[in-house]
Structures are given as C-alpha cells and as structure tokens.
Amino acid sequence: MSGGNITKPKPRVGIYGLTGCAGDQLLLIHCEDELLDIFNAFDIRSFVMASSNPIEEDMDVALVEGSVSTEEQKKHLMDIRKRAKILVAIGNCATVGGVQAMYAQDGTFKDRMKKVYGDMKFITEPMEGQPLDAFVTVDYYLPGCPISAKQALPLLSRLLHGAPPEPFPHPVCHECKLQENKCLLLDKKFCLGPLTQGGCGAVCPSHGLPCVGCWGPHSDANFKEHITLLESFGMTKDEVIRRIRNFGGHKILAYIKDL
Amino acid sequence: MQPKFFQEFIESLKRFGTIYGPVRRNGVLKYDRVESVDEIELDGERPMIPVKKLFHPMKFNMFQFDKDGFTPDYSSIEKKVIVGVPPCEIHSLLRLDEVFMEQPVDPYYAKQRENSAIIGYSCLPGDDCFCKSTGTDIVEEGFDLFFVNLGEFYLVWVGSSLGHDMVLEREDYFDENVTHEDIEDYIEWRQARDKMFKVSFDFKSMPDIMELSYGSPIWDYFAGKCLSCGQCSMVCPTCNCYTVTDVLDVSSEPEGRRERFWDSCMFVDYSLVAGGHNFRGARADRLKLWYTHKMKAFANEYGKPACIGCGRCVRTCPVDINVLTVAEALTKMEVPAQ
Amino acid sequence: MTVCNHEDNNPFQPEAARIVRQHDLIKDHRFFQVRFVDMKRAMSFTYNPGQFVMLSIPGVGEAPFSISSTPSRPGILEMGIRRTGKLTEALFTKRDNDIIYMRGPYGNGFNLDQMRNKDIIIVAGGLGVIPLRSILYYVLDNRDQFGRLFFLYGARTPEEMLFRTEFFELKERHDIECLYTVDKATSEWSEDVGVVTKLFAKLPEIDPHQTNAVICGPPVMYKYVIQELLKLELPKNQIQMTLERRMKCGVGKCGHCALDHIYTCIDGPVFTYWDTLHFRELI
C-alpha cells in the first residue's frame, strides 16, 4: 500500500458512552486476543471505561455508544462530532435508539417519565432516547446489542488503513443457514431473523433461541409477509409489532407505518 | 457386499482421505468430518445443507495479503472420502463442474474435486423428492463407488480407477459373481422405488413456460410473499453464487485475507453497483432470476437444467415458494390456494 | 474432469501494477495510467477494446473497470475512474508510483471483425466515453482497416466533458468527424447544445449495412440513441453497446452479473441491440 515504509501517526481514537448499558464498550475490552493489537495500532485518547485520564482533543475516529437521552448528551455528542473526522455509532442504542426507544414517537414519553420519576427536577432535561443520527452525521454504523467482535474488529482495521468499512447487507437468516441451523419458522416458532439486519453470526438461533431483532431492522425485509406468517403461528398482530419494536427504536417506524 | 462389512470397509478407506459423511450435529444432519463410522446416517433424511459445501466451502480464504501482494491460500483443500452421497447430489456436483471447471478453472473447487472420492449411496424418495421428474434419480458417472442398498446385500458399482483401488483394499468383502437372482432383486428394487415418488411435475416444459411467463403477474404474487431470507440458495445443491470481501488484521501493517463466502441472488445488494444503481431492486426480479436459472437458463447453457429434484427448497422455504409451487403456478397460470 | 496445473494458474490472482501517472479529468473523475510491475507481463499484456480489468487494493476489495486505452499502444493501460464506491474512494488516495493490483483482461470486447472495412459511429454519453475511447483510438491507429469514423459525444456541461483537450485536438484531423454537444453551454462553448441524439441530424448520408455503431452512456440514453440508429436502418446486430453489472470474479463463477443464461463478464460486457431484445434484462 502507499507509503509502506513511512511510519504514519497512529489514528487518534475516542470511545464514548451516552445512554446505554456500556456493553458495547465492554465488548471492545473483552477482545482480549486483539486488545494489545488495538492499543498498538491506535492512539486511544479517551476511553473512560478503560482509563480515567481522557485527552479531549481533535481525533480521527470517535466510537459512540448509547442513545441521546438528555440535552446534555446532545451537546456532548455535537462536541464529539466537531472534533472527530469519522464518527461511528456503536450498538443498538446509538444506531436506532435502543430498547429505551421501543415506544418511540407514540406520544406517551412525558406520561411515562412522570409515572416513574414523579415531579422530580432534573439536572439536564431528559428526552425520549434518540439514535445519534437524529442530531449528527454518522459515518458508519456497528449495530448490535451488544456489537460483535467479528464485525467491530474488521471495521476498526479498515478505518486504520483508511479503507471504508463494508456493511453486511443481509438478514440474520444468511448467517443462520451458514451455521446449518434448522429454521425455527419451519417449526412454527417465533423468530425475527428475516426482518433483522445480519452480522451477528446468528448467535441466538444457533443456540435454539429466536432472533429478537437486536441488530435493528433489515432494510430489504418483507415486514408485511413476515407478520402474516407469525400471525399464522397463533400470535396477534399487536404482539408481533410489540416484539418487532423492542429493538427497532425509531428506525423501525418507517417500515411498519403502513401495516 | 454383505451389509455386515460396510462399516469396516468404510473404515478402511481412511487410507484415501479423511472420511466425511452425513452425521448428526446438534440435532441437524450435516455433511461433516466423521469421528467414528457408526455415526454415519444413511437410508433416511437428507442433510439440510448439500454436499456442495465440501467443494465450494461456505466461507474460506482465497488469498492472504500483505505489503508484497496476494498469496493464494489453498489450506481449505483436504484429501476427502465422502460417503453417502445420493444420486441427485452427484448430479449437482456434475452441474457445479460445468460452472467451476469451465475455463478458466476455479482452482479452489478443482483442487478439492481432484482430492475427493465420492462414495455414492442409493436412497428411497422422501415426501418432497422429485428427482425422477428432473431425470436425476439415477447416476452413471460422478462417483468412485456407488452402494445400492438392496436389504440383503449391497450392489456396488465401481465408477473409477480409484474406486477400483478401494475395492482392492478389502477384496474379500466383495463378491464378483452377480447371479440372475441378484439382478432380479435390483430390478425389483428399482421398480418399487419408481413407484414411491409422491410429487412430480413436467420439468421438460419448464424452459418454454419460463420464457413465455416472463411478464406474468405470478411473479408479483410470489414477490409479495418472499422474505428474501436467502435460505433457498444456501440449501440448493446447484446454487454457486458467492461474494468476496477483504478482511484486514488489526495491525498497522496492511495484512489480512480475501474471503469468499456463499451469496444469494435473493439478497437486495446482489445486483447493486457502485454509485447506487440496482439492476434487481425488485423482489420479483430476484425471484425470476433464481427460477429462470434453475428451470431454464442453465439448460440453455449446459444442456441440463440446474434443478436436481432434491426437494430442499420445498422443505426449507418458510412461505412455500419452491420449484414445485412456482412451476405449478406458472403452468396453471394461477396462484396457489391459501 | 479437466486436469491442469492450478499452482501457477489462479485466475483470481491479482498482480502488482504501478500507477505510472494519474490526474483529475474533471471533478471526481480521474485518469490512471497503470503498468504491471513485471515487465514481461506488462509488455505481453494485450486486450480488445471494450474489455475490462479487475482492480484490487488489499483490504479494500476488488471491482471491475473498463479499459480506456487501445491495445495498439501497448505497455501502459489507461482507465478513467469515477469516485463512486469504496474501492474508487481508496483509489483516489493513490499517487504516482503507488502499487495497486490488477488481473484481466476480461469480457468479450467489441466485435472488431464485424466492424472492419465498415463506417463506424461512436456514440458516447457522459462517462460512457471511457470504454469507447479505447475503440476510438483503436480505429484511429488502424485507420486503413475501417471506413469513415463519426464520433458523437454528449456531456452535461463543457466542464463535465471528459478528455476535453484531446478530443478537441481530434477535431483537427481529417479522418474523423467529431460532433460534441452539452446539455448546458457556457459562453465560450462553440459546439452543439442539446442531447446527444440531436447530433444525428449532422451526419452525412450513410449506408446502414456498411455501418456499425457502438454506444455507451447512462441507462436513459440507450433508448433514444437506438431509436436514431434504427431510423438510419442499421441492423440490430450492428449496434453494439457496453454495459455495467456487479461483478466479483470476472470469469463466470460468482454469479453476480448473470442474466438469463449469460454472464455479463464473459458473454459481455459488449452486447448488440439484438441481444438486449433477446435477453430482456440487459438494459
């Protein structure tokens, strides 16, 4: 590749968490076999989960986990965006809004807040959990709850070499069949595989569990027919929609609005 | 050959390569490396993923690359003896040969083909088998040995010089004298088997029907149902499509591998080109390509249709789109009853 | 079963090639001159106009690109590349002397035998001129083998006209008729204004059976250009066009460019107008 012998400065990286369980950041730390390679190849400036002395300057890559759920987080995100050449949304919360957005845009947010917290005064104004791209331009997405190392590491290594990451544009079923799993739908069991963005390696179906859609909606999915199919298994449409929305956040709404 | 010798004979074939065959893993029948010969399951259910996976691996590295360029990686190639391949799947390999062995030869497939022995095994049609309609219920070539299970004994066809060497390994197991009675048993078995097929269709008319139904609304009906899950392609013994992607190591050096893995024309990005134009954005166009390929196009090119009648699409599609339902709908020009 | 030596014969093997020179043509369109690093390979590499190569950047991937130079000028391969995907994004970061990887040539190329001793009409729209530049220079370099040569090229604006300088130099020659048009002119534009089909009115009388046309352009262009050529009564199989498809292998294995029973990568990318009627999904 170009300039093979010239030592290039290591890309500066910041890893941040907004509203979420921090599971995606944890997954990166759990890449024990590659962790040394990651720290060798990147200059990790800010990663509060791993080191409490963050350096907040301009950076090449920002990985941001979590949904935007307060005004303060929105400001923080805008600041990160300003300082980062490339911004990657990591995890279901950052890409679609997360489970905290399962009732997204149904108008009940204020009531639910009040029911749980009463008339509490907040340090920063809370809002319904939103994906990062509701406020800033996101360059790349790593979906998942949590993200998978098999998808995260190739993305990081591509960014390292200035190569654009390649998304996996197929539903969960693709990888599921490559794992030689018997399709749960054939046994008339609930599964969201055909509606869900793949890349997870079909972990759940490989363990006999249904896909619950945690990678978010697959853009080419046939929602109408799949709901009809699940209804034929004895589920009600409302129940199916509720389960589709669990990890669908704000992004699912466009796909199910006419159903 | 007496059935009691079968396992021992297969055991003796280890000399020719690692034994692969239909074995149960996590409850699913798979073509896989055989740990012990008694776990091989014949005479029943067919493996979900066909034998193509042993020649055209689901995922493997084509090249390793570094700053000095690309080095071919043939590490997936292994000397294999594959036991228990039914006639239809032997036909499927001959079809894949037409694609992968045509010049320029795909070296990954060809090397694995050259390094594999095929021990065919007879079968009785299951509920979804229609290989008689596709003319793939018997084989005359494409195997080294072929065992026909006649109950009392195996009739063993020797299909290659290698197969002959295998027989010589345990010559005393085989009886060369075929009696008139043996022949009668075999003919009887063939006739009984022919009568067992529960499904069939007029495969010979399909190329014309496909050609003439190009604009048929039947395609839109199936497109409305299709989940685009791609399972049909994964389980089809003659689906050969693959995609290629580069995976870099996490390292400052530009090192990594070029991976090749199974793809399907049912996926939305199949015909998507850089810049965003999608030649098959519509689901109906993708379905049409798949079925045209199976029931018409391959025959134009190679003289044989690509469907080998194994019934996997019938057993696999969650919404009942398969060779039988599509062929019937196009033939009758009406959509299946709900 | 065919037995051959695959050890040295991996059709997917990308070979190192050096970017000899590269410069911007227009915004987001760059010209690359490339040569195999292995000199023997570089000098023996030959191709037909209309063929393509697969370019690789390790770690980014591989994609097909049409060849824009002519085999009548061997040694260096030229390509005009639009920045439009992941691989081109990475290609645009490459500078002179950088190494990329290449394999090929692939595809059928234009049917030169059919074109010899005939009049040739080349019709290009936008970046469709990139593969047609190959046949254009091939005809000019073998001028005695062909009849009259008409080169019709339409771009959106003068600024978006590719190879503008060299194409305007061609206007000085007497053995080629160059007709250029733009959708939107600027004050200094002296050529035609309007869609490329407008240029057909300027063609002299032609003998349709003694004429071959080659077309490349955006999908919308084909229909209208073909109408013009049919008005001139050109036989359908004397109208050739080069088409684009997604490809992962270039050699008829990966399936991506399949339509009906043909593969664009081996049976194309050049097809005749008759082919497009016959194989309905071509254009």
Side-chain angles (χ1 to χ4, degrees):
Chain A
M1 299 187 84
S2 65
N5 295 325
I6 307 156
T7 329
K8 277 189 286 189
K10 292 180 187 178
R12 295 154 302 166
V13 175
I15 303 171
Y16 303 92
L18 306 176
T19 297
C21 68
D24 305 307
Q25 298 171 67
L26 194 63
L27 182 122
L28 293 173
I29 293 180
H30 274 178
C31 293
E32 280 147 10
D33 292 340
E34 294 84 8
L35 201 58
L36 271 180
D37 296 333
I38 295 174
F39 277 86
N40 274 333
F42 291 99
D43 177 8
I44 303 200
R45 294 293 185 95
S46 173
F47 190 5
V48 179
M49 183 183 265
S51 158
S52 49
N53 295 311
I55 304 165
E56 299 300 348
E57 293 171 352
D58 284 355
M59 60 196 132
D60 295 296
V61 181
L63 306 178
V64 184
E65 173 179 353
S67 66
V68 181
S69 302
T70 66
E71 284 297 329
E72 190 186 19
Q73 284 178 341
K74 183 175 153 189
K75 270 189 211 134
H76 187 196
L77 176 65
M78 311 270 248
D79 172 59
I80 294 167
R81 177 69 271 189
K82 248 183 238 156
R83 293 188 284 122
K85 283 188 199 145
I86 294 170
L87 191 147
V88 186
I90 63 169
N92 183 268
C93 301
T95 52
V96 310
V99 286
Q100 57 271 40
M102 67 170 78
Y103 298 111
Q105 299 173 33
D106 74 347
T108 64
F109 176 72
K110 283 219 166 85
D111 290 345
R112 283 184 280 119
M113 271 298 287
K114 200 166 175 180
K115 210 169 161 189
V116 176
Y117 295 101
D119 288 322
M120 193 186 284
K121 210 171 147 43
F122 295 95
I123 311 165
T124 167
E125 195 55 38
M127 57 169 118
E128 186 164 50
Q130 300 253 34
L132 307 188
D133 57 12
F135 304 103
V136 297
T137 302
V138 171
D139 297 296
Y140 304 110
Y141 297 87
L142 265 184
C145 186
I147 56 171
S148 86
K150 260 176 38 199
Q151 226 177 351
L153 295 171
L155 177 130
L156 285 177
S157 50
R158 276 183 173 247
L159 293 181
L160 184 59
H161 293 282
E166 208 155 18
F168 183 78
H170 304 160
V172 170
C173 306
H174 186 195
E175 290 178 302
C176 191
K177 210 88 237 109
L178 296 184
Q179 303 279 349
E180 298 191 53
N181 296 324
K182 187 172 181 216
C183 181
L184 291 164
L185 298 172
L186 291 180
D187 291 334
K188 304 203 180 301
K189 287 182 185 155
F190 169 86
C191 183
L192 292 183
L195 303 186
T196 306
Q197 174 60 45
C200 56
V203 187
C204 299
S206 300
H207 288 87
L209 299 167
C211 169
V212 294
C214 75
W215 245 251
H218 175 53
S219 63
D220 183 50
N222 187 344
F223 281 83
K224 187 168 173 280
E225 177 63 22
H226 196 64
I227 292 170
T228 307
L229 180 68
L230 294 178
E231 281 181 300
S232 77
F233 299 170
M235 295 178 78
T236 64
K237 189 172 177 180
D238 286 348
E239 200 179 345
V240 176
I241 298 272
R242 185 181 59 79
R243 297 188 72 168
I244 287 175
R245 290 192 64 171
N246 276 349
F247 287 96
H250 293 259
K251 300 281 169 75
I252 201 83
L253 300 176
Y255 298 101
I256 58 173
K257 66 175 190 302
D258 297 327
L259 299 174
Chain B
M1 189 172 97
Q2 303 289 318
K4 63 180 179 191
F5 296 131
F6 184 76
Q7 287 198 359
E8 225 172 299
F9 175 68
I10 298 300
E11 187 78 38
S12 78
L13 299 181
K14 282 188 175 160
R15 196 172 84 71
F16 298 91
T18 311
I19 312 284
Y20 279 75
V23 292
R24 205 161 286 275
R25 303 273 183 257
N26 298 324
V28 178
L29 199 63
K30 303 177 180 181
Y31 282 107
D32 204 352
R33 189 189 299 257
V34 171
E35 304 297 335
S36 109
V37 291
D38 58 5
E39 65 175 356
I40 302 176
E41 279 189 40
L42 303 164
D43 299 309
E45 183 191 335
R46 248 67 73 193
M48 184 177 69
I49 298 287
V51 74
K52 71 173 174 181
K53 75 170 214 187
L54 299 180
F55 297 92
H56 171 41
M58 293 173 177
K59 193 172 202 170
F60 71 97
N61 297 331
M62 298 177 82
F63 295 95
Q64 301 287 338
F65 60 79
D66 58 22
K67 60 176 172 37
D68 298 320
F70 293 84
T71 312
D73 182 346
Y74 296 120
S75 60
S76 66
I77 318 286
E78 182 192 18
K79 254 202 159 359
K80 288 178 181 144
V81 175
I82 304 160
V83 181
V85 189
C88 63
E89 290 204 63
I90 292 175
H91 278 283
S92 79
L93 291 176
L94 297 173
R95 302 288 200 281
L96 290 177
D97 286 352
E98 304 276 7
V99 176
F100 289 128
M101 304 294 274
E102 188 174 331
Q103 292 295 337
V105 171
D106 170 12
Y108 303 96
Y109 178 88
K111 273 168 186 283
Q112 189 54 66
R113 206 72 171 97
E114 283 161 23
N115 281 289
S116 302
I118 303 284
I119 314 296
Y121 195 90
S122 65
C123 58
L124 296 174
D127 291 349
D128 308 318
C129 292
F130 49 93
C131 53
K132 205 168 156 50
S133 307
T134 51
T136 48
D137 53 330
I138 49 169
V139 269
E140 281 153 7
E141 53 168 345
F143 55 85
D144 296 285
L145 291 176
F146 191 92
F147 283 76
V148 183
N149 183 0
L150 297 177
E152 300 282 295
F153 63 95
Y154 285 114
L155 174 73
V156 184
W157 299 99
V158 182
S160 73
S161 160
L162 176 67
H164 193 242
D165 290 346
M166 290 173 158
V167 168
L168 293 179
E169 274 297 293
R170 291 286 187 278
E171 213 175 345
D172 43 330
Y173 290 176
F174 296 86
D175 186 356
E176 263 190 274
N177 301 314
V178 180
T179 64
H180 177 65
E181 214 173 293
D182 294 343
I183 297 171
E184 279 187 333
D185 282 352
Y186 176 60
I187 299 296
E188 216 171 276
W189 176 85
R190 280 277 305 265
Q191 286 169 344
R193 181 176 181 261
D194 279 356
K195 288 186 190 131
M196 290 173 73
F197 287 93
K198 292 183 183 148
V199 279
S200 67
F201 72 116
D202 178 16
F203 200 60
K204 286 203 181 68
S205 321
M206 284 322 293
D208 287 334
I209 292 176
M210 295 291 300
E211 177 68 26
L212 298 170
S213 332
Y214 185 84
S216 167
I218 300 277
W219 293 114
D220 297 322
Y221 163 77
F222 283 115
K225 286 185 81 70
C226 178
L227 301 175
S228 296
C229 67
Q231 293 194 74
C232 48
S233 297
M234 303 300 122
V235 302
C236 179
T238 62
C239 267
N240 63 285
C241 290
Y242 66 80
T243 188
V244 177
T245 187
D246 282 7
V247 183
L248 284 153
D249 298 337
V250 184
S251 153
S252 304
E253 296 297 316
E255 295 169 353
R257 55 193 192 274
R258 177 159 286 179
E259 281 183 357
R260 163 167 155 179
F261 59 100
W262 289 3
D263 200 353
S264 167
C265 56
M266 293 297 170
F267 296 138
V268 66
D269 65 316
Y270 184 78
S271 304
L272 178 73
V273 295
H277 185 69
N278 194 341
F279 288 93
R280 283 192 193 86
R283 236 183 279 282
D285 290 342
R286 287 179 255 153
L287 276 167
K288 209 182 284 182
L289 178 71
W290 202 93
Y291 284 96
T292 302
H293 188 79
K294 298 300 165 196
M295 302 204 277
K296 168 177 173 267
F298 202 84
N300 285 18
E301 190 75 356
Y302 304 108
K304 294 173 269 190
C307 176
I308 49 105
C310 70
R312 281 186 175 81
C313 52
V314 182
R315 291 191 289 280
T316 300
C317 179
V319 289
D320 293 328
I321 304 173
N322 56 58
V323 169
L324 292 178
T325 53
V326 171
E328 189 181 333
L330 290 176
T331 307
K332 294 184 179 165
M333 278 299 160
E334 57 188 49
V335 299
Q338 294 297 304
Chain C
M1 203 186 293
T2 339
V3 177
C4 64
N5 177 16
H6 319 296
E7 237 17 286
D8 311 304
N9 193 14
N10 187 324
F12 309 112
Q13 175 75 54
E15 295 173 75
R18 192 175 298 283
I19 296 175
V20 179
R21 217 151 52 89
Q22 46 83 39
H23 61 82
D24 281 338
L25 291 166
I26 59 171
K27 185 178 179 292
D28 290 335
H29 292 68
R30 194 170 289 177
F31 183 67
F32 289 87
Q33 287 185 319
V34 174
R35 178 159 54 203
F36 280 114
V37 170
D38 183 294
M39 270 318 272
K40 237 169 78 189
R41 180 87 171 100
M43 294 320 291
S44 65
F45 183 82
T46 185
Y47 53 93
N48 287 326
Q51 284 194 293
F52 64 95
V53 289
M54 298 291 286
L55 294 187
S56 270
I57 296 179
V60 182
E62 194 174 43
F65 292 93
S66 49
I67 302 171
S68 195
S69 49
T70 162
S72 46
R73 302 173 193 180
I76 281 187
L77 204 70
E78 293 171 347
M79 281 163 289
I81 294 175
R82 177 165 67 123
R83 189 208 307 243
T84 182
K86 293 182 195 70
L87 188 71
T88 51
E89 193 65 48
L91 262 177
F92 273 56
T93 66
K94 298 291 177 193
R95 294 291 169 257
D96 292 357
N97 292 317
D98 279 355
I99 298 289
I100 58 171
Y101 292 83
M102 185 159 78
R103 59 187 177 94
Y106 297 123
N108 53 358
F110 294 105
N111 185 343
L112 293 171
D113 289 339
Q114 183 185 289
M115 295 164 73
R116 284 209 174 84
N117 302 314
K118 304 272 166 64
D119 290 347
I120 310 292
I121 307 176
I122 298 176
V123 189
L127 68 152
V129 79
I130 291 167
L132 297 186
R133 183 175 173 267
S134 178
I135 185 86
L136 171 70
Y137 285 129
Y138 185 87
V139 173
L140 287 173
D141 287 352
N142 298 278
R143 201 61 199 85
D144 54 332
Q145 294 177 19
F146 299 89
R148 292 177 297 172
L149 175 60
F150 305 100
F151 177 39
L152 283 55
Y153 178 26
R156 250 181 298 208
T157 62
E159 291 74 43
E160 286 179 68
M161 185 177 173
L162 297 167
F163 305 105
R164 189 171 158 189
T165 317
E166 62 181 70
F167 287 164
F168 270 90
E169 279 166 15
L170 287 183
K171 285 185 78 78
E172 312 293 314
R173 290 177 67 142
H174 299 295
D175 53 357
I176 174 172
E177 174 98 24
C178 298
L179 298 167
Y180 303 140
T181 183
V182 292
D183 296 346
K184 257 197 214 147
T186 46
S187 52
E188 69 271 27
W189 180 255
S190 52
E191 306 295 307
D192 275 275
V193 180
V195 291
V196 73
T197 43
K198 248 185 89 179
L199 299 173
F200 278 85
K202 295 201 159 182
L203 287 177
E205 182 140 342
I206 65 147
D207 174 355
H209 289 277
Q210 291 303 311
T211 305
N212 265 258
V214 294
I215 320 174
C216 189
V220 294
M221 190 192 88
Y222 289 99
K223 190 177 145 194
Y224 298 103
V225 170
I226 288 164
Q227 275 174 8
E228 293 298 325
L229 293 167
L230 292 178
K231 270 189 232 161
L232 295 174
E233 291 178 352
L234 251 72
K236 297 182 197 74
N237 60 353
Q238 281 172 217
I239 303 172
Q240 299 180 57
M241 50 194 93
T242 169
L243 304 174
E244 182 193 17
R245 276 296 182 282
R246 181 177 170 96
M247 292 174 192
K248 285 287 179 179
C249 75
V251 290
K253 313 291 181 201
C254 80
H256 281 270
C257 68
L259 51 98
D260 209 312
H261 70 265
I262 56 173
Y263 288 118
T264 312
C265 68
I266 44 184
D267 303 304
V270 176
F271 292 97
T272 66
Y273 175 53
W274 160 243
D275 292 330
T276 70
L277 293 177
H278 189 54
F279 306 115
R280 284 162 289 209
E281 294 175 356
L282 273 174
I283 51 172

